[in-house]
Amino acid sequence: MSDISFRKAGQTGRITFTRPKALNAMSYDMCIAIEDALDVWATDDEVKMIVIDAEGEKAFCAGGDIAELYETGTKGDFAYGRKFWADEYRMNAKLFEFPKPVVSFMQGFTMGGGVGVGCHGSHRIVGESSQIAMPECGIGLVPDVGGSLILARAPGRLGEYLGLTAARLNAADAIYAGFADYFIPQDAWPALITQLEETADYALIDAAASEPEAGPLTTQQADIDAHFGGETLNDILNALKFSDSEFATGALKKLSRNSPIAMGAAQEIIHRVRQRDDIRFALDQEYRFTFRAMEDGDFLEGIRAQIIDKDRNPQWKYSLDALPAGIVTKMVLPLGADALTFEKGE
């Protein structure tokens, strides 16, 4: 496959995203190919470790390739999207649960679907150019691909803040928030990858790591906890509106861009996942929303505004101040017979 490369190198299984001109966006076929490789390498004694990287300077993987989701969804075909998400989430779970070390090198943009590949491994490496985000609420989705679990584990109410505002993280903040583990200068990456291929010794990663320059999040933690601790989206909005701080003004501006349905549901999902701390539970909660996202949510309008027409002016179904509580409940209800499974072919 020209968009992604799989091979065995020394003692490692190697995965490299190879479509840098498309910011290494992940298609459905790429997702399935990753799962197939995981299935083989899990029991291959020659593979001691998996190493994942990407070509190009701009992105590790900037998200899922959503053009076909839009094309099918606008024709009333919701089955393709539902299958895409279900199969992707199964792959995410396998990566998270993989029985051998998984090392990822995440330069540039790592967003959405890229988080589901790069941020579920055991050794997650960022560098000077790294920018990690879960921007789904800006297109009418919730943070998914298991991202809700990472957000739920973040310090204090940082998960709600990052999930709802879609704020980007530099290397230091990605480590602080739990999306990455190590900062290693990017000019050291090629030699380190070669050493890992030869030895599969993850102690080399610890030896190469250093402290990145501090990011802004640690200084904002108190403000984030004070304003994003409510039970509902309306609670957060009220806390921000009744504050005249620079932080509150900036956060409100970020929230005003995103889908109210998605933000309300994202907050509910993060709260639920925080109580369970389980990747499959997180993916199940996310799938309840994505299953309904085209038909009942803002997803198609979000894609139109951000990707297709690029007018950056989405017409969401509800305003921030008039989001019915019932719609959030509806979007995360159990799916019954349509519930997410983790079995191939179902």
Side-chain angles (χ1 to χ4, degrees):
M1 184 184 298
S2 61
D3 293 336
I4 191 166
S5 167
F6 301 90
R7 68 266 184 216
K8 289 200 290 187
Q11 301 190 60
T12 67
R14 295 282 281 109
I15 301 174
T16 302
F17 289 105
T18 56
R19 54 184 315 209
K21 290 182 179 179
L23 299 181
N24 292 313
M26 189 167 61
S27 67
Y28 177 80
D29 288 342
M30 291 164 69
C31 172
I32 295 301
I34 292 172
E35 182 187 20
D36 290 343
L38 294 175
D39 288 344
V40 172
W41 289 339
T43 56
D44 185 339
D45 291 339
E46 294 181 352
V47 174
K48 309 296 186 187
M49 167 189 289
I50 291 179
V51 176
I52 309 173
D53 65 350
E55 293 181 354
E57 298 179 357
K58 292 183 178 179
F60 170 77
C61 174
D65 191 342
I66 52 183
E68 193 162 359
L69 292 173
Y70 182 81
E71 184 179 341
T72 54
T74 50
K75 294 175 181 176
D77 174 11
F78 307 127
Y80 173 78
R82 290 165 176 170
K83 179 174 176 56
F84 184 111
W85 283 308
D87 290 349
E88 182 179 23
Y89 295 177
R90 187 180 64 241
M91 180 271 288
N92 299 142
K94 287 183 178 181
L95 247 178
F96 187 94
E97 297 168 347
F98 199 73
K100 303 173 186 179
V102 178
V103 185
S104 55
F105 290 82
M106 299 180 284
Q107 79 276 17
F109 294 119
T110 300
M111 298 183 176
V115 169
V117 175
C119 297
H120 287 325
S122 56
H123 296 73
R124 304 164 299 173
I125 297 165
V126 286
E128 299 91 327
S129 70
S130 300
Q131 292 193 64
I132 297 180
M134 297 298 291
E136 287 81 1
C137 285
I139 55 169
L141 277 187
V142 294
D144 65 337
V145 297
S148 65
L149 179 60
I150 302 175
L151 294 172
R153 289 176 166 182
R157 297 294 178 167
L158 186 54
E160 285 87 338
Y161 173 75
L162 295 175
L164 273 57
T165 65
R168 293 182 183 179
L169 304 169
N170 66 9
D173 284 341
I175 294 170
Y176 176 69
F179 284 83
D181 304 299
Y182 303 91
F183 174 82
I184 298 176
Q186 286 170 228
D187 60 5
W189 289 9
L192 176 58
I193 289 173
T194 297
Q195 288 180 304
L196 292 174
E197 290 174 347
E198 293 170 352
T199 67
D201 181 4
Y202 52 78
L204 294 168
I205 299 170
D206 292 276
S210 59
E211 284 293 322
E213 290 187 18
L217 274 188
T218 52
T219 61
Q220 296 178 338
Q221 187 73 61
D223 280 327
I224 289 169
D225 292 346
H227 294 89
F228 282 78
E231 282 301 309
T232 67
L233 179 61
N234 199 48
D235 293 334
I236 291 175
L237 293 172
N238 285 335
L240 292 170
K241 287 174 182 175
F242 285 103
S243 170
D244 58 1
S245 69
E246 185 178 340
F247 170 84
T249 301
L252 272 174
K253 185 175 181 180
K254 291 182 176 74
L255 295 180
S256 69
R257 303 186 186 118
N258 299 335
S259 161
I261 294 176
M263 290 190 292
Q267 185 180 11
E268 173 64 22
I269 290 170
I270 292 167
H271 287 180
R272 293 181 182 186
V273 174
R274 189 173 284 132
Q275 302 303 313
R276 289 283 295 269
D277 195 52
D278 176 83
I279 186 65
R280 295 191 178 210
F281 178 77
L283 291 163
D284 173 76
Q285 298 296 310
E286 296 165 4
Y287 187 65
R288 294 180 184 189
F289 184 95
T290 52
F291 183 92
R292 300 177 170 106
M294 291 190 188
E295 190 168 9
D296 300 317
D298 284 321
F299 176 66
L300 294 177
E301 173 60 13
I303 295 302
R304 182 207 64 76
Q306 300 295 337
I307 308 297
I308 307 301
D309 296 338
K310 298 183 179 178
D311 59 24
R312 305 293 193 270
N313 186 32
Q315 302 302 302
W316 305 127
K317 290 185 176 181
Y318 301 99
S319 70
L320 266 180
D321 296 320
L323 177 65
I327 186 65
V328 171
T329 302
K330 176 183 178 182
M331 296 299 286
V332 293
L333 284 173
L335 289 168
D338 293 317
L340 180 66
T341 72
F342 294 91
E343 298 299 322
K344 239 177 178 177
E346 289 196 12

